[in-house]
Amino acid sequence: TSLGVAAERATTQLATGDRTGTFAIATLTQLLAHHDPTALDRFLHELVGQWRNQDVGGLIHLPPASDIDGSSWFGSAHFDYVVEMRTGDGQIEARVCGKRDVAPTWQVVGSAPCSDSEASAQAVERQPSGIVDEDGGESTPE
């Protein structure tokens, strides 16, 4: 209840403020871990309804579908569309699901950060060809 009241106040502030804003929730995974999914679904229904009524944009970070039930995104029936993200082969890809006239195809949107082992390998590759011996003197390979 207190979260709902705070969300309603924040939505009203965004709607009546001089600047445009977006309401964002990044804690849905934690909320699902500690609250009944049915109650949380009702909360999302009310919240998204407030956003639409006040003409406020919203973003909600959802856990992957496989973390919930493997079939759909939690609460996605309330949203206009879902943007899915994945990483692989050093790339970040995204696709939009549920948006009219947009094909749900994966598109590259960036490069994935490299792991510590990849960064170490790249650092070794970038070192000059000189070899530092144990005494600290530099020699060149023959």
Side-chain angles (χ1 to χ4, degrees):
T1 301
S2 61
L3 183 59
V5 170
E8 184 176 9
R9 285 183 186 148
T11 300
T12 301
Q13 270 187 320
L14 284 171
T16 59
D18 293 338
R19 300 180 331 182
T20 59
T22 302
F23 194 116
I25 298 178
T27 58
L28 193 60
T29 302
Q30 292 86 351
L31 290 171
L32 278 168
H34 300 288
H35 298 281
D36 175 46
T38 303
L40 194 52
D41 188 63
R42 282 193 308 266
F43 169 73
L44 288 175
H45 174 75
E46 289 294 323
L47 185 60
V48 171
Q50 290 174 20
W51 294 346
R52 286 194 174 110
N53 290 338
Q54 302 275 353
D55 200 25
V56 170
L59 295 169
I60 299 176
H61 179 263
L62 301 172
S66 60
D67 288 356
I68 301 167
D69 64 9
S71 63
S72 65
W73 294 90
F74 177 81
S76 63
H78 306 298
F79 311 135
D80 294 328
Y81 54 90
V82 173
V83 178
E84 293 180 294
M85 306 286 286
R86 70 180 183 188
T87 58
D89 297 329
Q91 296 180 331
I92 300 171
E93 297 177 316
R95 72 177 174 182
V96 177
C97 299
K99 187 167 174 85
R100 272 176 89 184
D101 302 326
V102 175
T105 56
W106 290 103
Q107 302 290 323
V108 175
V109 294
S111 299
C114 57
S115 67
D116 290 340
S117 61
E118 290 172 338
S120 296
Q122 289 176 355
V124 169
E125 290 171 7
R126 291 184 184 140
Q127 288 181 352
S129 61
I131 299 171
V132 177
D133 62 25
E134 292 180 10
D135 297 334
E138 188 173 311
S139 61
T140 55
E142 296 183 28

